[in-house]
Amino acid sequence: MSKQKVPDLEFPMRKSISVIAPAAMAQFKCAADRCEWTCCQGWRVPVNRTHAEIFLKLNGSGGTHPVGEFLKKVRSSRRGKSKTNYYFDLPGTKDRFCLFLNEKRRCKLQERYGEDALCDTCLLFPRRLIQFDQSVQMTVSLACPETIRRLIMTEERLRLTTLSCAPDPEADWLDSEQIPNDALRELIRKRAALLENWTQLIYDDSRSFASRLRSLCKEIAGSDPKRKEVPIAGPNAETIGKTILSIQESFYPKASGFPLDVSNAIAGLLGGEPALNKLIGSAFSQADREFLIPFLGAHTRWLENYVALTLYSDALTEFEAYMRPDMSLAAAVRFTLTRLALTLNLLMLRLAAAAKKENGIRAETFMRAVYDIDRNFYQSPGIVEGVIRRLIQNTGHDPITWISGFLSGANEK
Ligand code: SF4
């Protein structure tokens, strides 16, 4: 379709840059009108200033929708400096979408003016760029059904390649020279080599998944030479229940707008019974034996891909924190390990609750759990940090307690 030129709408042209990326993203194509959980709904989408100012000139006669009612402008002031941010406040109801979507659920802006008309966030999603010194990497959000299908629910392993991509002016950027702590700086500079080693471990199918996971945790923990041991608790009803409740408590007080309802998952396990450690633990163990172990055993590659991708995308990427003078190598390693454990525990909890309700685990259930955890948890680093801090306070130690028998190796001979 030829793109209409509108004299006062000068959308900036973007150049492409080379980035390191998961090879499967070379074939990524947004499902658009076929997407079951479109991202054009229920988000607050940050809009870069150049595009926001152009969007404000749009009106109905441009063939799109006037944006005043959903493009919000927020002025904030920090350390004496004022800043203006724009974002789309996309409707969160089931049948209401971004006002730029037409009746076929395709973006009117893109159809009429081409890709350069999309703001940076919409153009890049589900891709996210981060820069380590001179190397730019594309990470991927799993709050997109297409990325889950292409990168997780496949027998293909995670493989990296070089792709071309539009740059992201808002990308997190780390200049390792600026990290004050010497040991942490050295660790971050080895990130690519560490990830390669961890990925090889995850895909080493000569051993059980539980044994690989234990080695992975030990390897990550070993990045901090002073760290002594990784406590991996064997599951019993009491400790499982306690762990699940600690996960729940760590999500409170709820950060505003954070909708992942861990209580619902727990209520789903119990069928409304009072929340006692043992009861919860037994309910989980039963769902684990009946559903999780067979399902995960039959889809080990999905879980391998999930662990490999979450580490590739998120491990050792808390760039702002690394600049703090009080930040240590021990804290960075602990955070990486804790987040991995918490993510897997959340996934198991969601799957167990859904399995009890639906009397089994379907591929769509797995996909939805991966999607929800990414959308409601990973997309907000502040929430991740708060949850992990409270979880450690609640339990007195890192949550390296695999609440699934499959993950703990309880089913190993
Ligand atoms: S969630 Fe993914 S597939 Fe769906 S509309 Fe957004 S980018 Fe496209």
Side-chain angles (χ1 to χ4, degrees):
M1 181 191 290
S2 69
K3 310 295 176 218
Q4 180 172 325
K5 287 265 176 242
V6 179
D8 58 346
L9 297 184
E10 295 289 334
F11 289 113
M13 305 262 290
R14 294 167 168 111
K15 288 194 194 122
S16 286
I17 54 167
S18 284
V19 301
I20 298 164
M25 288 307 284
Q27 280 85 40
F28 174 82
K29 204 164 179 331
C30 167
D33 48 327
R34 291 176 294 102
C35 180
E36 54 271 71
W37 307 317
T38 176
C39 54
C40 304
Q41 184 186 48
W43 293 94
R44 285 189 159 190
V45 176
V47 178
N48 52 297
R49 189 187 187 97
T50 315
H51 280 80
E53 286 172 356
I54 298 173
F55 292 157
L56 285 167
K57 295 182 194 161
L58 290 170
N59 56 46
S61 65
T64 58
H65 201 286
V67 297
E69 55 195 281
F70 76 123
L71 180 68
K72 309 281 185 210
K73 184 175 180 179
V74 179
R75 283 206 181 86
S76 59
S77 171
R78 210 175 157 197
R79 293 194 195 117
K81 282 191 184 160
S82 62
K83 208 176 158 200
T84 304
N85 291 315
Y86 296 89
Y87 63 90
F88 284 138
D89 201 3
L90 302 186
T93 47
K94 219 174 168 194
D95 47 359
R96 292 198 58 217
F97 304 104
C98 173
L99 299 182
F100 281 134
L101 289 195
N102 63 19
E103 62 290 349
K104 290 185 186 153
R105 283 179 44 200
R106 300 188 75 89
C107 178
K108 286 190 263 191
L109 269 178
Q110 186 171 356
E111 289 204 331
R112 194 164 187 105
Y113 304 114
E115 269 199 341
D116 285 326
L118 299 178
C119 69
D120 294 337
T121 313
C122 292
L123 179 80
L124 286 164
F125 189 83
R127 308 162 189 89
R128 186 173 74 100
L129 300 189
I130 47 179
Q131 180 168 345
F132 288 92
D133 294 331
Q134 296 315 312
S135 142
V136 184
Q137 296 188 11
M138 180 198 291
T139 67
V140 180
S141 166
L142 293 174
C144 163
E146 273 307 288
T147 55
I148 302 177
R149 275 190 279 267
R150 284 190 182 275
L151 288 130
I152 307 293
M153 295 166 74
T154 163
E155 286 309 304
E156 294 290 314
R157 300 172 181 203
L158 174 69
R159 209 167 39 78
L160 300 181
T161 190
T162 304
L163 296 179
S164 94
C165 178
D168 178 6
E170 299 294 324
D172 287 343
W173 181 69
L174 182 77
D175 173 6
S176 61
E177 287 291 335
Q178 309 291 323
I179 301 176
N181 182 297
D182 294 343
L184 179 57
R185 187 169 57 248
E186 285 315 303
L187 179 81
I188 300 302
R189 283 180 173 164
K190 286 192 293 191
R191 183 182 184 267
L194 289 170
L195 279 176
E196 200 180 321
N197 180 23
W198 297 345
T199 308
Q200 272 179 20
L201 255 176
I202 296 162
Y203 287 119
D204 172 13
D205 46 22
S206 64
R207 303 155 58 191
S208 74
F209 187 76
S211 142
R212 285 179 257 162
L213 205 47
R214 279 195 293 271
S215 300
L216 174 68
C217 290
K218 282 192 180 124
E219 282 288 321
I220 297 175
S223 314
D224 170 11
K226 294 198 182 125
R227 197 181 162 103
K228 291 204 177 64
E229 61 179 82
V230 186
I232 301 177
N236 74 37
E238 191 79 31
T239 55
I240 291 169
K242 201 167 165 225
T243 306
I244 293 174
L245 280 177
S246 322
I247 291 175
Q248 183 198 23
E249 282 161 24
S250 67
F251 278 89
Y252 293 91
K254 261 188 189 172
S256 65
F258 181 54
L260 178 68
D261 199 342
V262 182
S263 315
N264 276 351
I266 291 172
L269 279 172
L270 292 175
E273 290 293 325
L276 299 170
N277 281 359
K278 217 167 165 180
L279 250 168
I280 294 175
S282 306
F284 180 85
S285 297
Q286 192 200 351
D288 188 29
R289 272 193 310 276
E290 277 180 39
F291 306 114
L292 263 64
I293 290 175
F295 180 83
L296 296 171
H299 298 100
T300 315
R301 180 73 85 226
W302 294 4
L303 216 52
E304 291 167 356
N305 287 340
Y306 184 60
V307 175
L309 191 76
T310 50
L311 284 175
Y312 164 74
S313 292
D314 298 296
L316 302 173
T317 56
E318 290 71 45
F319 298 167
E320 254 187 72
Y322 301 157
M323 300 299 173
R324 293 199 313 247
D326 62 334
M327 187 67 191
S328 65
L329 175 140
V333 170
R334 184 180 215 199
F335 189 85
T336 303
L337 207 48
T338 306
R339 179 155 65 177
L340 173 66
L342 188 56
T343 307
L344 284 168
N345 283 349
L346 275 177
L347 183 64
M348 297 309 129
L349 190 52
R350 285 289 309 261
L351 289 178
K356 278 206 90 136
K357 194 166 158 217
E358 297 165 11
N359 201 29
I361 302 178
R362 292 173 297 122
E364 295 72 36
T365 314
F366 175 86
M367 187 160 142
R368 185 70 207 197
V370 167
Y371 172 91
D372 279 342
I373 290 169
D374 193 279
R375 177 158 182 158
N376 300 322
F377 183 56
Y378 265 113
Q379 295 296 325
S380 314
I383 291 177
V384 179
E385 204 174 334
V387 169
I388 288 180
R389 202 184 52 244
R390 286 193 291 276
L391 188 57
I392 293 171
Q393 274 165 9
N394 289 339
T395 55
H397 58 76
D398 301 358
I400 309 299
T401 304
W402 306 111
I403 61 174
S404 160
F406 178 75
L407 294 181
S408 69
N411 60 330
E412 280 178 43
K413 297 267 179 320

